[in-house]
Amino acid sequence: MLMRILHIGKYFPPFAGGMENFLADLLDESSNQLLQCAALVHDHSNGKLAEKEIIDGNEIVRVRTHGQLLFAPVSPAFPGKLKQMLESFEPDVIDIHMPNTSAFFLLFSSASRRIPWVIHWHSDVVFPENKPLLKLAYWLYRPLEYLMLRKSKAVITTSPNYLKTSATLKPFLDKCSVIPLTINESRIPTLSHTMHEKARNLWNTGTTGDQPFRVLCVGRLTHYKGHELLIEAIAKINPETANISTLIVGEGELESSLQQQIVDARLTSRIKLLGHQSDLILNALLANCDVLCMPSTLRTEAFGLVLLEAMYHGKPALVSDIEGSGMTWVIRDNQNGWYSPVGDPDALAKKLVELQQNPQLIMDAGQRSREIFDAEYSANQCVKQTIQIYEQSRQNE
């Protein structure tokens, strides 16, 4: 009989996010390895998507939300849908993708407590020091988070860096295993010559007419992604010294303020905000950039799934040297990318100029990126390790 896994997630594609893309890939590869999976997630579309779908043989149930409160979906219908899923799907294991406030409803469900839990720990809850309201909210969140971890049979973290530096996970190290995120190569679209050309043309925003050095930044326009630092860094670069064109893909609450920053710095010919893009366009951009830049500022950037997508396309990355972030585990300094000090636009500008002036460096690091991807980030291997965790959790029940 197939093992049945119920995933509790935050959102699901077409919502754009690394955590969501990983969940979709995990379900897809799990089906290939003869698991029966379902996912209970929030609906980000205000009812535009079907409440229930079968995607690649997996049942996806989206629960209506009523906005967000402190970055968390407000979904009063979630406990009722959870009860229905437990009764209809009858899971052998519940895989909980944290952080996710709606997952706390499991604590109050007697039916769920009879089923072994595995937690995929995507990130600690991290907040900037200038956000006292978030700090207060975490004071309320933390006891429930602790109970979730205590009840779980196993915790899967995505990098040894993150596990080593997580104060939240410290009391539960005996439950923790490291299984890196992965991407399912089958979902990467085949790109036509036309798509490659369309992507390259998006960077032709410079004033000199020469082929620009193409920098790509992908991520939600939110407080910890550091987009404002990248814009500040580009403003410090003399376009006559280094012709650098930058595209930022993503949407979020900081979109208007970032656009105003670009206008105020007179950078509209050198930086574009592209908003949300389809997988096809995003992969074309990844395939045609010179470097992926992730200037994030907090450990909330726990892994950076887009780094693997860039590596698949043979591209290097320039990432912030955040202590404990998995980014500096995926990216190896001076091998498949480079580090830049956190929150330092001057250092970031200097490194971008250095890379622009050394095309062989870019080429060598890109080749190494693909080699590391092929050797270490197989979706098949990731899911095999995850299935072992599921089986052990059932045995320990």
Side-chain angles (χ1 to χ4, degrees), residues 191-232:
L191 300 172
S192 66
H193 174 77
T194 301
M195 285 306 304
H196 283 288
E197 189 66 25
K198 182 176 181 179
R200 284 192 292 269
N201 287 339
L202 285 171
W203 270 288
N204 289 331
T205 57
T207 57
T208 64
D210 297 330
Q211 178 65 55
F213 182 73
R214 297 181 292 248
V215 176
L216 179 65
C217 182
V218 180
R220 183 163 178 79
L221 307 183
T222 194
H223 66 282
Y224 67 88
K225 291 290 188 177
H227 295 104
E228 70 284 356
L229 295 168
L230 177 57
I231 296 169
E232 190 176 345

Side-chain angles (χ1 to χ4, degrees), residues 13 25 33 64 91 123 157 165 209 211 237 252 275 298 311 317 369 386:
D25 287 349
Q33 298 195 29
R64 186 71 181 267
S123 172
T157 59
T165 55
Q211 178 65 55
I237 298 171
L298 294 174
M311 290 166 65
S369 279
T386 304

Side-chain angles (χ1 to χ4, degrees), residues 27-78:
L27 264 61
D28 188 32
E29 183 60 29
S30 295
S31 297
N32 294 338
Q33 298 195 29
L34 302 180
L35 295 183
Q36 188 167 351
C37 296
L40 182 64
V41 299
H42 303 94
D43 180 14
H44 68 284
S45 70
N46 292 321
K48 296 176 183 176
L49 292 169
E51 180 182 281
K52 179 178 177 180
E53 295 180 89
I54 303 298
I55 301 177
D56 297 325
N58 300 305
E59 182 180 350
I60 312 300
V61 175
R62 293 182 171 90
V63 185
R64 186 71 181 267
T65 61
H66 302 274
Q68 291 191 347
L69 179 63
L70 300 177
F71 304 106
V74 177
S75 183
F78 207 93

